[in-house]
Every structure is written in structure tokens, then in C-alpha cells.
Amino acid sequence: MTATPVQPASDTDRRYRELSGRAVGSNVNETSLLATDYLNHINEVIMLLEIVPDAPECLDDCKAWQPLEYTEHFKNSGIADKELAIEAYPFSPPQFKDPFDRLVREMNRLVDISIKRLDLVLAEGNEDQARHVAARASQNLQDLIGQASAVIHGEDHVVDQAQIDALMDL
């Protein structure tokens, strides 16, 4: 019987293992190499959207909100593990990074759609519709955050694009 030769670990594999070991006990998940702190950026705009029906002037704050790339968020973050989060992000395995990045893109798209829709219904003076749009946007964004959080925590289920698209219908 011939033994199967052992393939040397690639540099990427070695780097993943090293970063995974450093992530233990940190804000970075040791499996996905992603950090939930990034989701705070989305939570900020959710809170603003929820306020708009009662304080329409907050729509200007929503419009001023800008999506941040993952590493950009951490460059400006005060968390202790921000350098590890930045360093680990490129080494997040594709089964986590790809759905995470797609969810972030969809959250940013939903924020944009929601702000435009709120701007329109507020200009029409339709307070009931503004409440509906804000509530739906908040709930849908929270659903996407829940999915992103699951991915960050190492669940590698594939997010169904049809489900995401359905959330965009405000």
C-alpha cells in the first residue's frame, strides 16, 4: 500500500490558521474571521430610519449616512481588536466572506431605497405611509443583520437571493 503524500499547507491556509488562533477570545470570530462590530454601522441608520416618521427632519441625517466598507469601518472604530479585524478580513473563507459581502451590499441597497421612498412619501405629506416604509425598512434591515450575524458566527448557509429581493419591496 502506498501512502498518499501530504500536501504542504498553502500560505493562505497557514495565515488563516494563525489569524484564527489570534481571534480566539477576541471580537473576531475564529471560524469566519469576521466581526459583528461592523453591523453597528448599519444599526445606526436603522435607528435614524425609525425616528423619521416622528421627526421628519431626521431624514437629512439618513441622507448624510454613508455606507462604509468593512475595513474602513474598523479603521475608524474604537474596538480593541480593530487591527485584527482589518488584518483577518481578506482571509475570511469564501463560504463566509461571499455571503457576508452580498448581505452588506443588499443592506446598503435597502437603506438607499428606503431613504428615497421616505423622501417621496414625506414630500407628499403621507405620514401613514412614512410609518409603514420606516417600519418595513427597519424590520427588513434587522432581518438582514440577523443573517449577516449568523454568517459572522460561522454559519455557512447560502443566503437565498430571492428572499433578499423580496425584502426590497417596501
Side-chain angles (χ1 to χ4, degrees), residues 63-170:
K63 290 177 181 179
W65 181 89
Q66 293 294 313
L68 293 174
E69 296 292 325
Y70 185 87
T71 55
E72 184 181 1
H73 166 76
F74 283 103
K75 285 178 184 173
N76 300 316
S77 173
I79 70 163
D81 301 311
K82 72 182 193 175
E83 296 301 325
L84 177 59
I86 293 168
E87 187 179 355
Y89 180 68
F91 295 94
S92 174
Q95 70 264 30
F96 305 113
K97 191 172 184 292
D98 293 348
F100 175 77
D101 288 343
R102 187 171 76 210
L103 284 163
V104 168
R105 283 190 304 275
E106 294 302 332
M107 285 186 272
N108 291 335
R109 188 167 73 110
L110 181 54
V111 168
D112 185 56
I113 290 168
S114 301
I115 291 169
K116 288 176 181 171
R117 185 73 190 267
L118 278 168
D119 198 21
L120 179 68
V121 298
L122 287 172
E124 294 171 348
N126 192 336
E127 291 180 29
D128 290 338
Q129 187 65 21
R131 287 191 191 294
H132 173 75
V133 170
R136 286 289 309 271
S138 173
Q139 184 58 57
N140 292 343
L141 284 164
Q142 288 176 34
D143 289 347
L144 290 172
I145 282 177
Q147 291 178 45
S149 181
V151 170
I152 290 168
H153 286 99
E155 293 183 28
D156 60 355
H157 65 281
V158 176
V159 180
D160 181 64
Q161 187 63 43
Q163 291 173 316
I164 292 173
D165 290 342
L167 294 176
M168 301 299 150
D169 184 22
L170 296 174

